[in-house]
């Protein structure tokens, strides 16, 4: 499931440093704009403590976690919508991603140049928002011109539905609001909205890159961003990228945990960011277990049993008979599949069962 999160932001806000913390790929990180030109793609392991706990009981030959792709995209500047800087390339790259990790500089450091000469994350956010909104408005206006006549005079109900969605987006964009601030009451309109592939309709996580002292509590910059994004359908995460880069260099899990404890964190920002990115993509995990392997499988939230079976192999979906489901908490409590069976904790589910995050699945099929 090759879904991608794109890391975006102005030049020199910490995008590539953060990417390097997340991935074994080493993007160039330097103190000048456009250091990253071609998008770097990293396949990132999604941390999942449940796999380790199941493996302690099953003793498998291997553990296979799930992954998500992170793309480090070149820094955007004013005028990107008109092709300034690397604008056209930036906009093309971001259009190909499924969700956005918007990195904002929320730290002061006179040794790190800011492209606009001063630290102001609200201004930085507005610059990128504006450029993306301008591009979206172009897209919306173009689509309106194509469907308006059919919608208003042709009696075409489908065209009318698309036209109504476009008008709502146009009104929001002309007010300087992102498309994601527009909400819809029915799934048909939501489907139309998604199929327009607007840049500012993509789900977004604002990543506030702070100094070490603000890693646990945030700072005034973070407070301002939280207030500025209140009306958006967006999440916010605090990360100290410089610290994360130091943690990433440590060799062992124990060393990393000791470092985290010293600065008052239970979990690294990189891990929290990966989990948040996974959630942002509307993904969840089901698990298969046995002596060969304990494995996490990625599926779209809301998927039913046959679709999840198809994640393992298309034949599993075609010949789906039933799913045998153990809740993760029950497996940990009873400590084995056989004990769960004796306790009546294995549920037999059919084609309409909506799989839940953490379900331990065994599929029966016939082809």
């Amino acid at each position: 499931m090759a879904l991608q999160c794109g890391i975006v932001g102005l030049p020199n806000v910490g995008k590539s440093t953060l990417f390097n913390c997340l991935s074994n790929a080493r993007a160039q990180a330097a103190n000048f704009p456009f250091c990253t030109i071609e998008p770097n793609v990293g396949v990132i392991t999604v941390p999942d403590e449940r796999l380790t706990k199941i493996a302690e009981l099953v003793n498998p030959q291997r553990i296979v976690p799930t992954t998500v792709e992170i793309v480090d995209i070149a820094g955007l500047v004013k005028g990107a919508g008109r092709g300034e800087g690397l604008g056209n390339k930036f906009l093309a790259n971001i259009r190909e991603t499924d969700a956005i990790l918007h990195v904002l500089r929320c730290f002061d450091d006179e040794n790190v140049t800011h492209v606009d000469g001063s630290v102001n994350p609200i201004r930085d956010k507005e610059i990128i928002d504006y450029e993306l909104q301008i591009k979206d408005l172009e897209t919306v206006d173009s689509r309106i011109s194509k469907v308006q006549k059919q919608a208003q005079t042709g009696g075409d109900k489908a065209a009318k539905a698309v036209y109504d969605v476009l008008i709502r987006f146009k009104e929001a964009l002309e007010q300087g609001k992102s498309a994601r601030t527009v909400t819809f009451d029915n799934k048909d309109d939501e489907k139309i909205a998604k199929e327009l592939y607007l840049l500012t309709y993509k789900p977004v996580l604002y990543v506030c890159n702070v100094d070490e002292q603000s890693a646990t509590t945030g700072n005034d910059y973070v407070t301002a961003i939280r207030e500025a994004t209140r009306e958006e359908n967006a999440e916010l995460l605090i990360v100290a990228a410089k610290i994360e880069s130091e943690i990433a260099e440590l060799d062992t899990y124990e060393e990393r945990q000791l470092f985290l404890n010293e600065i008052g964190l239970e979990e690294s920002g990189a891990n929290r960011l990966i989990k948040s990115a996974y959630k942002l993509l509307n993904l969840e995990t089901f698990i298969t277990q046995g002596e060969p392997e304990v494995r996490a499988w990625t599926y779209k939230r809301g998927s039913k049993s046959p679709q999840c079976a198809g994640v393992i192999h298309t034949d599993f979906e075609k010949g789906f008979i039933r799913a045998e489901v153990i809740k993760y908490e029950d497996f940990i409590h009873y400590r084995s599949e056989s004990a769960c069976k004796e306790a009546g904790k294995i549920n037999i589910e059919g084609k309409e069962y909506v799989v839940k995050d953490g379900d331990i699945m065994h599929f029966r099929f016939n082809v």
Side-chain angles (χ1 to χ4, degrees):
M1 188 174 291
L3 296 177
Q4 293 183 338
C5 279
I7 300 181
V8 305
L10 293 182
N12 294 355
V13 297
K15 301 186 311 302
S16 295
T17 301
L18 195 58
F19 176 83
N20 288 339
C21 299
L22 298 174
S23 172
N24 288 329
R26 288 291 182 235
Q28 183 185 7
N31 184 23
F32 56 88
F34 308 136
C35 173
T36 305
I37 298 177
E38 294 300 327
N40 296 286
V41 181
V43 180
I44 315 298
T45 297
V46 179
D48 194 335
E49 297 81 3
R50 295 172 301 191
L51 300 181
T52 304
K53 291 183 179 179
I54 292 173
E56 290 173 356
L57 301 175
V58 177
N59 194 27
Q61 296 174 28
R62 61 182 178 274
I63 300 175
V64 184
T66 190
T67 60
V68 64
E69 289 189 2
I70 305 288
V71 187
D72 179 26
I73 298 172
L76 176 146
V77 295
K78 290 179 183 177
R82 301 185 300 275
E84 298 289 336
L86 296 170
N88 289 332
K89 184 176 288 289
F90 175 96
L91 294 168
N93 289 336
I94 195 173
R95 195 177 295 281
E96 293 172 2
T97 65
D98 301 283
I100 299 170
L101 307 177
H102 187 160
V103 182
L104 294 162
R105 177 172 170 175
C106 296
F107 66 91
D108 295 305
D109 187 340
E110 60 185 19
N111 295 317
V112 180
T113 305
H114 191 287
V115 70
D116 282 328
S118 62
V119 178
N120 186 335
I122 297 296
R123 176 201 59 210
D124 296 353
K125 173 187 177 301
E126 290 174 349
I127 288 172
I128 287 189
D129 284 349
Y130 175 77
E131 299 300 337
L132 299 184
Q133 288 163 10
I134 289 296
K135 208 66 182 177
D136 279 348
L137 192 54
E138 288 179 11
T139 300
V140 168
D141 283 338
S142 175
R143 289 296 302 274
I144 286 175
S145 67
K146 293 177 181 178
V147 302
Q148 187 170 12
K149 187 175 182 180
Q150 292 172 284
Q152 294 181 331
T153 62
D156 188 327
K157 290 184 179 180
K160 179 67 165 58
V162 172
Y163 177 77
D164 289 344
V165 169
L166 287 166
I167 290 298
R168 291 196 61 192
F169 278 143
K170 181 178 174 66
E171 291 171 350
L173 291 164
E174 287 181 338
Q175 294 172 31
K177 296 180 179 180
S178 293
R180 74 180 66 89
T181 63
V182 179
T183 57
F184 298 96
D185 296 328
N186 64 72
K187 291 184 178 179
D188 290 338
D189 286 347
E190 284 183 3
K191 185 173 185 291
I192 292 169
K194 288 179 181 178
E195 290 175 351
L196 293 172
Y197 299 104
L198 299 181
L199 300 172
T200 64
Y201 195 66
K202 294 177 184 290
V204 63
L205 172 69
Y206 289 105
V207 183
C208 295
N209 184 15
V210 301
D211 53 56
E212 180 176 349
Q213 290 71 32
S214 307
T216 57
T217 59
N219 54 29
D220 290 343
Y221 292 134
V222 175
T223 301
I225 291 297
R226 185 172 280 118
E227 184 61 33
T229 59
R230 194 175 298 279
E231 291 185 8
E232 292 188 44
N233 183 22
E235 301 289 332
L236 185 147
L237 187 71
I238 301 170
V239 173
K242 188 175 180 181
I243 293 177
E244 295 298 322
S245 64
E246 295 174 11
I247 293 172
E249 294 298 324
L250 298 175
D251 293 328
T252 67
Y253 172 81
E254 289 73 18
E255 288 177 315
R256 292 191 289 271
Q257 285 303 120
L258 184 61
F259 190 111
L260 288 169
N261 292 338
E262 288 177 354
I263 60 176
L265 291 174
E266 294 183 4
E267 186 177 26
S268 74
N271 277 7
R272 288 184 288 113
L273 179 55
I274 295 167
K275 290 178 180 178
S276 295
Y278 194 69
K279 180 181 177 183
L280 195 66
L281 290 167
N282 202 30
L283 301 177
E284 292 182 335
T285 298
F286 72 85
I287 301 167
T288 55
Q289 58 79 31
E291 290 185 4
E293 66 179 24
V294 169
R295 181 165 186 156
W297 301 87
T298 297
Y299 68 94
K300 274 281 192 181
R301 185 183 298 123
S303 296
K304 295 181 180 180
S305 295
Q307 289 75 51
C308 288
V311 171
I312 299 177
H313 197 287
T314 53
D315 284 349
F316 284 27
E317 182 174 3
K318 291 176 184 176
F320 178 87
I321 299 173
R322 66 178 183 272
E324 298 170 1
V325 184
I326 305 173
K327 296 301 176 185
Y328 167 77
E329 294 78 9
D330 288 336
F331 192 92
I332 296 302
H333 177 76
Y334 291 100
R335 304 181 66 80
S336 72
E337 183 176 334
S338 58
C340 286
K341 186 174 183 179
E342 289 179 12
K345 294 298 181 179
I346 298 182
N347 298 323
I348 307 302
E349 304 289 357
K351 293 181 178 181
E352 295 304 310
Y353 176 70
V354 177
V355 176
K356 308 296 189 302
D357 185 55
D359 278 354
I360 299 172
M361 310 286 292
H362 182 70
F363 298 104
R364 300 290 184 181
F365 69 101
N366 182 33
V367 290

